[in-house]
Amino acid sequence: MTFIDSHCHFDFAEFDTERVQLMVQCQQLGIETLIVPGVTLAQSHSLISFSQQYSCVRICMGLHPYFMAEHIDDHLAKLSELALQYRTQLVAIGECGIDRSIENIEKQTQIFEHHIDLANQLELPLIVHHRQSHDLIAQSLKRCKPKYGGVIHAFSGSLQQAQYYIKQGFKLGVGGVITYQRAQKTRSVVAQIAPQHLLLETDAPAMPLAGFQGQINTPLQLPLVFEQLCQLKQITTPYKAGFQKQLYNSCSELFRI
């Protein structure tokens, strides 16, 4: 079986001492592609050379809400210029979105909607971050409709919210959260969603799986996420290969890889 990690910060410093070894291990496990999002202007720029070093990496460009303090006024224009220049190397725009745990929702919204416009201009999907903000994201999607879909990273909303995003052309990112028994709402929703609307992800080095708390998460955990998803959807061994192929196709079609 082959996998795509649809959301992995493989360029982060946590992997500096073991990145080459991890890449080899990923290949051995059938994890053939890592989608690496952009989070700041400087890091988005550095991803260009990073992707040239590692053939398994596909990159995106974006301004993440976590780094609001670093996103000064001209960064939106510079991000657009950079994305236009390197359009052929990109598979998505993001990570972008709205996060209620971070100040200045108005500025976050402005930045998010700029990403939507940029993705539409470049005919690319979006990678969307959310935290207690599904209503705000829905408002932005109404004002500025994405034309090429995307993925709702680390989806943890209701079934109604899941269905809304799917109608807007989005897929739902499924990661380590579903390995926690306490995440009953998310587990229940994911179990009801057809595989063509789901993507596997790790969000490494963040979001460790249950049983691995306190450890650095890595893309090597992706098959464990897959196994947990199989359990939730009651996919038995004879059907796992077909189910995995559906998930793989869902991801490769969205990102055109």
Side-chain angles (χ1 to χ4, degrees):
M1 291 189 286
T2 55
F3 297 95
I4 300 172
D5 189 341
S6 67
H7 196 112
C8 170
H9 299 281
F10 197 54
D11 62 316
F12 278 16
E14 287 89 337
F15 299 123
D16 284 351
T17 61
E18 57 175 349
R19 189 172 289 114
V20 173
Q21 179 183 355
L22 280 173
M23 186 174 64
V24 172
Q25 292 174 310
C26 281
Q27 295 297 314
Q28 292 171 342
L29 288 176
I31 306 166
E32 62 178 26
T33 304
L34 307 176
I35 307 296
V36 181
V39 296
T40 66
L41 179 62
Q43 180 260 2
S44 291
H45 194 281
S46 70
L47 284 177
I48 300 164
S49 59
F50 184 80
S51 66
Q52 294 169 350
Q53 297 177 56
Y54 302 100
S55 59
C56 64
V57 165
R58 299 293 183 272
I59 63 171
C60 319
M61 291 183 179
L63 306 180
H64 194 299
Y66 281 175
F67 301 93
M68 284 295 294
E70 298 183 33
H71 305 332
I72 59 177
D73 290 343
D74 68 341
H75 280 194
L76 285 174
K78 288 184 176 180
L79 181 75
S80 294
E81 292 174 4
L82 189 66
L84 284 165
Q85 182 178 357
Y86 292 96
R87 164 64 183 87
T88 58
Q89 297 187 39
L90 303 182
V91 296
I93 294 298
E95 185 173 352
C96 57
I98 303 175
D99 190 318
R100 268 203 172 93
S101 72
I102 299 169
E103 295 182 353
N104 204 335
I105 295 297
E106 183 178 352
K107 183 178 179 182
Q108 288 190 57
T109 301
Q110 176 192 2
I111 292 174
F112 178 47
E113 293 181 8
H114 178 91
H115 281 74
I116 299 174
D117 285 334
L118 180 59
N120 286 344
Q121 180 182 355
L122 298 180
E123 301 182 1
L124 289 171
L126 289 158
I127 296 178
V128 179
H129 168 91
H130 64 88
R131 179 172 292 180
Q132 301 173 349
S133 57
H134 290 302
D135 58 324
L136 300 176
I137 289 172
Q139 291 170 21
S140 287
L141 297 184
K142 186 175 181 179
R143 285 190 295 266
C144 189
K145 183 174 176 58
K147 297 178 181 178
Y148 300 94
V151 54
I152 306 300
H153 163 52
F155 178 78
S156 60
S158 67
L159 180 60
Q160 181 180 11
Q161 289 165 336
Q163 292 169 338
Y164 167 78
Y165 285 125
I166 290 169
K167 287 181 180 178
Q168 302 305 309
F170 283 87
K171 299 181 186 296
L172 310 179
V174 178
V177 169
I178 66 167
T179 66
Y180 289 86
Q181 290 296 323
R182 66 176 182 267
Q184 285 302 315
K185 182 184 75 172
T186 300
R187 287 163 56 88
S188 174
V189 170
V190 167
Q192 298 176 68
I193 302 299
Q196 65 265 29
H197 304 306
L198 301 175
L199 303 184
L200 296 175
E201 61 178 30
T202 63
D203 199 24
M207 290 181 64
L209 279 62
F212 297 89
Q213 296 93 321
Q215 300 180 31
I216 294 175
N217 192 18
T218 80
L220 301 180
Q221 302 289 51
L222 197 68
L224 295 182
V225 176
F226 170 70
E227 289 296 331
Q228 184 63 67
L229 183 59
C230 287
Q231 290 184 32
L232 289 180
K233 298 184 77 63
Q234 300 182 336
I235 305 294
T236 56
T237 299
Y239 303 99
K240 283 184 179 179
F243 180 55
Q244 182 277 331
K245 186 175 181 180
Q246 289 179 300
L247 295 170
Y248 181 94
N249 290 342
S250 175
C251 193
S252 61
E253 289 169 7
L254 177 66
F255 295 116
R256 303 175 198 170
I257 53 177

